[in-house]
Amino acid sequence: MSLIKASYGMFVVHPDPLKWIWLLLGVWLLPVYADLPPLTHGLTLVPQPHTAPALRLPTMDDETIDIEALKGKVVVVNFWATWCPPCRREMPSLERLYQTSKEKGLVVLAVNIGEDIDTIFPFLGTVDPSPSFPILLDNDSHSLSEWKVRGLPTTFVVGPDGNLVYQAVGGREFNHPALLQQLLDLLKE
Amino acid sequence: MNPTIRIGIVLLSMLLTSSTVSAQSKTVDPTTGAVSWETQMHGVTLSLTQILPDQARAFYLNRGLPAVATEPYAKACVYMTILRNDSAPGVVHFQLEDWSVVSTDQSRPPVSVEAWLKRLEEYDLTQAATIAFRWAQFPPEQAYQPGGDWNQGMLTTGLEADTVFDLVARWDVAGESYQGILRNVRCAS
């Protein structure tokens, strides 16, 4: 019986050698396909701006973050999972955005859906640059219904007044100049 | 101008316009042999990429689903599906139940996420496995703002291996109905 460590840092046990070759290939190849579509680079205005839903979750460091306490800042809330190819692809650009803008008052919260630290942590080590913003853990995916998310990744931007301003359905290039400008303009308000 | 020639020019221009609007491309991944079909129409991009049965097995075994649960799914003619609002005249809204998988002897919607979740109930899956399964699927309903909203997710037709079919995707923009068709798509074997 063999033990395979896949790229996601997960372990699979399987007795058939041919099968585990496929398992390894499958885990690698599924994201490879998925790399084909380009990430887009714009945020769209929320059609009817309203107060952001509640978000109070533990981080990987076992602290609790409540979005209510972040009023006065621009908060980027990104819903993601390690098995979601566009989520994986946009993660480095999210970190670059954070590095560029955190001193100006921008906060990034990445809400992982349904995974544990043993799954998330090895993935974060593969991201370059590795995320330094808080990763929140939503074990039961409750926040997705609160925020009316229909697909991953989905990202929202909450303005300093606590209202939803922008949203992005699907993967984005977060450090693209056009997208960055949208956020910088919001930070100036 | 001779009326016959004029009619010929009009018919030719209509033919050219139609083929431009619904041009369909087909590509083959040189490594895996998986085939992709893509088309653009009305400012929307639609694509299907075969997910080979072993790749579907590997993906879900690595998310914690038991082999017995992954098997029916892996054999259900699975596609990585992308729909993107590039430049539609407004918000693209769709429901998967309105789409049609048209093969020689039948026309029916893709297999719903709800139907798969119902089938999985008997396997007593972990919460993490159920969440991964649910959210890796193409959204049952979604709204894409113009300028780059999109999703990528897994879609099953429920057809046998090697079956050839047309996928008719339907959506609406500001109350007006649109559709895009991918023709002669083949299930992986």
Side-chain angles (χ1 to χ4, degrees):
Chain A
M1 187 168 285
S2 301
L3 191 63
I4 299 171
K5 184 175 182 184
S7 61
Y8 291 49
M10 294 179 181
F11 292 88
V12 176
V13 179
H14 208 287
D16 178 348
L18 193 62
K19 282 284 179 190
W20 59 257
I21 289 169
W22 265 112
L23 278 177
L24 191 60
L25 280 174
V27 169
W28 277 97
L29 293 175
L30 205 55
V32 169
Y33 283 114
D35 280 350
L36 293 174
L39 295 175
T40 50
H41 44 75
L43 298 168
T44 54
L45 281 167
V46 171
Q48 294 163 329
H50 55 278
T51 306
L55 187 72
R56 189 174 189 276
L57 290 168
T59 68
M60 288 178 67
D61 298 324
D62 210 22
E63 295 168 356
T64 298
I65 289 185
D66 189 341
I67 199 167
E68 185 72 20
L70 297 172
K71 274 196 176 167
K73 295 180 179 294
V74 171
V75 185
V76 175
V77 182
N78 173 255
F79 294 93
W80 73 288
T82 64
W83 43 259
C84 156
C87 305
R88 298 166 64 93
R89 291 171 56 208
E90 70 179 2
M91 194 62 84
S93 74
L94 203 52
E95 172 60 15
R96 289 190 191 99
L97 166 69
Y98 181 57
Q99 290 298 337
T100 306
S101 312
K102 64 180 178 182
E103 300 300 331
K104 299 182 177 81
L106 183 124
V107 175
V108 174
L109 304 176
V111 182
N112 177 275
I113 302 302
E115 297 179 294
D116 58 24
I117 293 174
D118 291 342
T119 304
I120 300 167
F121 189 74
F123 163 70
L124 296 179
T126 68
V127 179
D128 183 20
S130 189
S132 58
F133 47 76
I135 306 290
L136 279 56
L137 306 175
D138 181 3
N139 291 330
D140 63 4
S141 72
H142 182 72
S143 62
L144 295 182
S145 51
E146 290 284 314
W147 285 68
K148 296 183 169 50
V149 173
R150 289 169 166 169
L152 297 181
T154 293
T155 303
F156 296 93
V157 178
V158 181
D161 59 359
N163 282 335
L164 289 177
V165 181
Y166 292 116
Q167 64 184 29
V169 176
R172 292 297 193 276
E173 198 83 58
F174 281 102
N175 60 332
H176 187 279
L179 195 154
L180 201 54
Q181 192 58 51
Q182 286 178 289
L183 292 173
L184 290 175
D185 289 346
L186 191 58
L187 284 162
K188 285 176 192 164
E189 287 178 6
Chain B
M1 186 185 290
N2 183 318
T4 309
I5 294 174
R6 189 180 298 164
I7 290 170
I9 290 171
V10 169
L11 287 174
L12 185 62
S13 64
M14 283 173 64
L15 185 66
L16 287 173
T17 304
S18 170
S19 62
T20 301
V21 168
S22 59
Q24 178 174 321
S25 64
K26 178 181 169 183
T27 54
V28 180
D29 185 298
T31 308
T32 65
V35 185
S36 296
W37 293 263
E38 181 174 308
T39 187
Q40 284 91 29
M41 77 303 287
H42 314 299
V44 170
T45 296
L46 168 68
S47 79
L48 295 179
T49 298
Q50 290 175 337
I51 295 180
L52 308 181
D54 276 330
Q55 292 175 319
R57 285 185 193 104
F59 183 80
Y60 283 115
L61 288 172
N62 278 286
R63 306 281 92 71
L65 272 76
V68 66
T70 59
E71 205 53 29
Y73 186 90
K75 291 179 176 172
C77 185
V78 192
Y79 291 89
M80 183 61 76
T81 305
I82 291 168
L83 193 71
R84 186 175 63 234
N85 184 349
D86 298 313
S87 56
V91 178
V92 169
H93 170 260
F94 71 86
Q95 290 182 292
L96 267 191
E97 63 186 22
D98 296 332
W99 293 20
S100 300
V101 175
V102 184
S103 55
T104 49
D105 55 348
Q106 59 186 326
S107 173
R108 63 185 183 194
V111 182
S112 71
V113 177
E114 291 73 18
W116 283 116
L117 289 172
K118 185 87 179 159
R119 289 182 68 164
L120 291 174
E121 280 176 4
E122 65 179 287
Y123 300 111
D124 197 24
L125 301 184
T126 63
Q127 187 177 57
T130 305
I131 289 171
F133 182 90
R134 159 66 186 87
W135 290 94
Q137 305 305 307
F138 196 69
E141 182 178 9
Q142 186 58 285
Y144 299 131
Q145 299 281 337
D149 273 0
W150 65 294
N151 277 127
Q152 171 179 335
M154 297 162 88
L155 183 78
T156 51
T157 66
L159 297 172
E160 298 288 325
D162 287 325
T163 304
V164 175
F165 66 94
D166 294 344
L167 177 74
V168 184
R170 299 185 177 89
W171 63 90
D172 63 83
V173 177
E176 192 165 340
S177 299
Y178 296 86
Q179 69 175 30
I181 305 176
L182 283 172
R183 297 187 189 281
N184 297 317
V185 179
R186 180 180 290 275
C187 297
S189 52

